[in-house]
Structure formats: C-alpha cells, structure tokens
Amino acid sequence: MSKLTIGIADMKMAKGEGMLITYALGSCIGICLYDPKIKLGALIHIMLPINMETGRKSPMKYADTGIRETIKQMEAKGASRARMTAKIAGGAKMFEISGGSLGNIGQRNIESVRLNLKKEGIRLLNEDVGGSVARTLLFDVATGQGCVRSYGRPELIF
Amino acid sequence: MAIKNYDELSSLELDTLKEIGSIGTGNAATALSQLIGQQVRIQMPEVRIMGYNEAIEWIGGPEEITAGVLVKMSGQINGIMLSCQQLEFVNLVLRNTLGKEVEDYFGLHEMECSVLIEVGNIMISTFINALSSLADIQIELTVPAFTVDMQGAIMAVPMAQYGGQSDYIMTIGGNFVCDGKEVPCRLLLSPDIRSLNVLLRKLGVSGE
C-alpha cells in the first residue's frame, strides 16, 4: 500500500487506496476529508486558524483557506460535497504557560476547523482534539478509517 | 534597514547572531557544568533559518520523544526559548544530581521532572541574561513550562506562535560536549521578526 506523508502546512490526496500520514500534531490539526463513494481522501495539516496573510502563498497553513482549497481540488477530481465527511485530530496545548496567549492556538484551531467545516456543509464524523498530547494521524483511503497514535496512550481508531 | 523576513539577514547580521549563540550557549554550559559537577564544552553554535518541515527533520524526526522546557520572553524582545532534552542528556543530568538513571521517559516522576525543569530553566535564564547584558535590553521571562512528548509537536510551538509572520523559523543554539562525548541538548532561541530587528539595532549591526 502506498504511503504518503503530509508535512506542516501541506495537503495530499489519494484515491482508491493508500495511507495518508501526518506526524506529531501538537496545536496543529490534521483534517481528513473523504468521499466514500469514489474513495477519494485528503489529509490537511493546518497550523493556524485564520489566513490573514497578504499574498496567501501557503493556503494549507490555515484552517479556513486549507479546507476551502482542498474541497475545491477534491471536487475537481469528481468528489461531491454532499457525500464528503470529515475527521479531525490535534489542537492540543503542549505547554501550560501562565500569562500570554501561547496556549490558546490549539483551541482556536479547533473552533476554526469546526466552523469552516460547517460553513462548507461538510459533516464532522469524528474528532480527537484538545488535551495536552501530540498526535500522529493516519488515514486509510480504502476504508475511510482514521487512527491516532500518541505517546503514553493506546492507539485510537476512529 | 529593518528586515521583514529571516532570509533577508546579511552575513554580518548572521555572524552577529552566531556570536550571540556562542556567548549564550557558553554561559549556559558553565551553569550546567556547575550544576552537574562535570566539565561541559560547547560545539560551534549554529544559526539556522529553516522551513517548518526542514526544522523538524533537523532536530531528529517528528515522532521522537523528548523532554522540552519552554520559556517565553517579553519586554524589548519577544520570543520563545526551548531546551530540548533527549534521553542521553536527561540521564547525564539525573546521574550527576540524583545519582540515578532512567530507561525511558516513562521513568520520569515528579522529582526527576522538577530537576529537568530547573536545569532547563537555569540554562535558558543564563543564556538570556548574557544576551540581555550584551545588547543592553530588558527581557522578562515566564515561569518555565515542561512537557514530555513528540519533538515535532514541541518544535511546532514557536512555529505556530510566529507562523502568521513567516514561513520560516530561526533558531540559534548548539550542542554540548561532556566527558568527551557529544550530548544532544539543543538550546533554541526563536525571536520574532520585530525583536530580531530591535536586537540587531541594539548591537549596532543593522545599518539604519
């Protein structure tokens, strides 16, 4: 089975079969989008909630532009928005810092991803978000099954 | 001239930052040496400007577990300073302070963790103190935060913090050599762009 690794601020798609993997999601979020009928899956690794960059060179860095751009690319490959579902993981708070906005990025990412999925009319099937653990997310395009690997926690299938 | 992105740094400016890294890491090594009662040398510190994924490969892969001590800077300089402590370093510290070693990170309990936090905190504070007196700037530090987890996610903390400004992360820091052996303890300073400009101006290398 082919294995595709998705880096930070990146997105990859696979059709029919293949394993999409993104490693060590901290406050970042991995978003699996899937059209079960044609077995087209995409995995996005976003880092921040809202794109306010001028020029917008890396849409996949942000929840809003990342989700929008990925749906567009999936539709171009024959996916239907009505059939599309989502599974998300990440949004942790890695460090407990007193004072300062440092720890809130994860939470803001979670809220932005949920909001943008809703706005685009995508059903959110399952999520493993928040807390304080890093997560590695695997997404099997053949079955639409996700798997979350963390340090010191049993594997989670969703 | 003030820079807008890390890749606009001139070679003079990079050399200056390398020197800061050298002085800061040197001071931190002295502090560590006193704590553990061993001679500690430093390797030539590096200034690296890396893309996100490049930075994670550089530190040794995303899923590798590491202990991280993080301190946030504010005042005239905003930024994050991280001490990434791999198992070899953890055991060097524990052996020379508590007289014990751990097999893996699961062996770290309250006492061991608080030693590691303290060591990280002292090294970071010493580094920042050197920087602050060298450039004559005020820097305030938060209480240190600690976690044991995948290093990719730990490295992503400074990235996410400054991700809206840049697609790159700048790190200044280096490894230690103790007992003739290289011990990977990465002390990483990641200032934001505005602070970098303040720092270079204060040091008199940014022609303005």
Side-chain angles (χ1 to χ4, degrees):
Chain A
M1 186 164 47
S2 65
K3 216 173 85 172
L4 284 173
T5 303
I6 290 95
I8 298 173
D10 190 11
M11 183 277 288
K12 286 197 175 99
M13 281 191 273
K15 197 172 176 182
E17 60 155 20
M19 187 65 90
L20 301 171
I21 307 177
T22 193
Y23 294 104
L25 294 154
S27 59
C28 300
I29 295 189
I31 308 161
C32 314
L33 293 177
Y34 191 55
D35 180 335
K37 191 175 171 212
I38 61 166
K39 292 190 191 301
L40 179 68
L43 179 52
I44 326 167
H45 184 140
I46 63 106
M47 192 164 79
L48 291 166
I50 303 161
N51 195 343
M52 290 187 288
E53 238 175 69
T54 43
R56 306 203 164 191
K57 276 178 296 187
S58 41
M60 298 304 169
K61 191 154 93 179
Y62 304 92
D64 54 350
T65 47
I67 291 173
R68 220 177 304 145
E69 179 63 25
T70 304
I71 293 174
K72 213 160 83 190
Q73 291 189 25
M74 286 176 74
E75 281 178 331
K77 287 191 182 253
S80 136
R81 194 182 289 241
R83 290 192 301 257
M84 247 183 247
T85 56
K87 290 178 179 176
I88 63 172
K93 186 177 187 177
M94 297 305 296
F95 288 95
E96 215 39 77
I97 285 253
S98 47
S101 63
L102 192 65
N104 295 334
I105 292 175
Q107 189 56 37
R108 274 165 37 214
N109 278 338
I110 299 171
E111 280 158 21
S112 177
V113 168
R114 285 185 188 143
L115 182 80
N116 279 287
L117 287 173
K118 201 169 167 192
K119 223 157 75 184
E120 300 292 334
I122 310 286
R123 260 185 314 140
L124 180 58
L125 280 190
N126 225 324
E127 58 176 29
D128 176 33
V129 293
S132 61
V133 292
R135 297 168 171 94
T136 286
L137 175 61
L138 299 95
F139 187 62
D140 185 349
V141 174
T143 60
Q145 198 172 60
C147 173
V148 179
R149 210 154 63 193
S150 314
Y151 170 69
R153 222 181 57 163
E155 263 189 14
L156 176 82
I157 306 283
F158 76 152
Chain B
M1 222 184 56
I3 57 155
K4 289 198 192 67
N5 213 332
Y6 297 122
D7 52 14
E8 294 167 28
L9 287 167
S10 68
S11 64
L12 173 66
E13 289 166 335
L14 282 173
D15 277 347
T16 309
L17 294 173
K18 216 173 276 178
E19 192 54 33
I20 288 172
S22 185
I23 294 167
T25 314
N27 276 280
T30 308
L32 175 67
S33 163
Q34 282 163 359
L35 279 168
I36 62 171
Q38 295 266 338
Q39 199 184 49
V40 179
R41 296 175 187 280
I42 56 166
Q43 286 185 330
M44 183 58 110
E46 287 178 302
V47 176
R48 306 202 72 152
I49 294 154
M50 296 172 281
Y52 304 136
N53 298 302
E54 191 189 345
I56 286 172
E57 283 313 314
W58 166 75
I59 199 156
E63 275 195 311
E64 195 71 33
I65 303 298
T66 190
V69 179
L70 179 142
V71 170
K72 209 177 162 210
M73 300 177 267
S74 58
Q76 282 175 286
I77 298 274
N78 283 306
I80 285 174
M81 185 129 192
L82 261 176
S83 154
C84 289
Q85 310 173 340
Q86 283 160 345
L87 204 57
E88 225 174 304
F89 178 84
V90 167
N91 277 328
L92 171 75
V93 169
L94 295 183
R95 195 166 56 234
N96 291 297
T97 51
L98 301 178
K100 63 186 280 192
E101 290 193 13
V102 289
E103 230 163 74
D104 54 31
Y105 286 100
F106 289 112
L108 297 176
H109 302 294
E110 211 181 321
M111 186 65 197
E112 290 80 22
C113 289
S114 77
V115 169
L116 294 179
I117 297 172
E118 209 37 49
V119 168
N121 190 31
I122 289 169
M123 288 196 301
I124 291 171
S125 314
T126 321
F127 189 116
I128 299 295
N129 269 339
L131 172 66
S132 147
S133 50
L134 192 70
D136 188 27
I137 41 178
Q138 291 283 329
I139 306 173
E140 280 137 44
L141 300 177
T142 59
V143 181
F146 180 74
T147 195
V148 173
D149 216 316
M150 299 180 195
Q151 57 188 13
I154 292 175
M155 280 291 280
V157 173
M159 292 176 193
Q161 194 66 20
Y162 308 119
Q165 304 173 356
S166 171
D167 281 339
Y168 298 91
I169 179 167
M170 187 183 81
T171 63
I172 304 170
N175 278 348
F176 295 125
V177 179
C178 183
D179 228 0
K181 251 178 36 193
E182 189 181 322
V183 185
C185 168
R186 303 195 180 268
L187 265 182
L188 305 174
L189 171 71
S190 308
D192 70 1
I193 300 257
R194 188 198 59 85
S195 306
L196 197 57
N197 283 316
V198 172
L199 184 61
L200 292 169
R201 202 172 57 237
K202 280 279 189 181
L203 290 165
V205 284
S206 125
E208 204 183 22

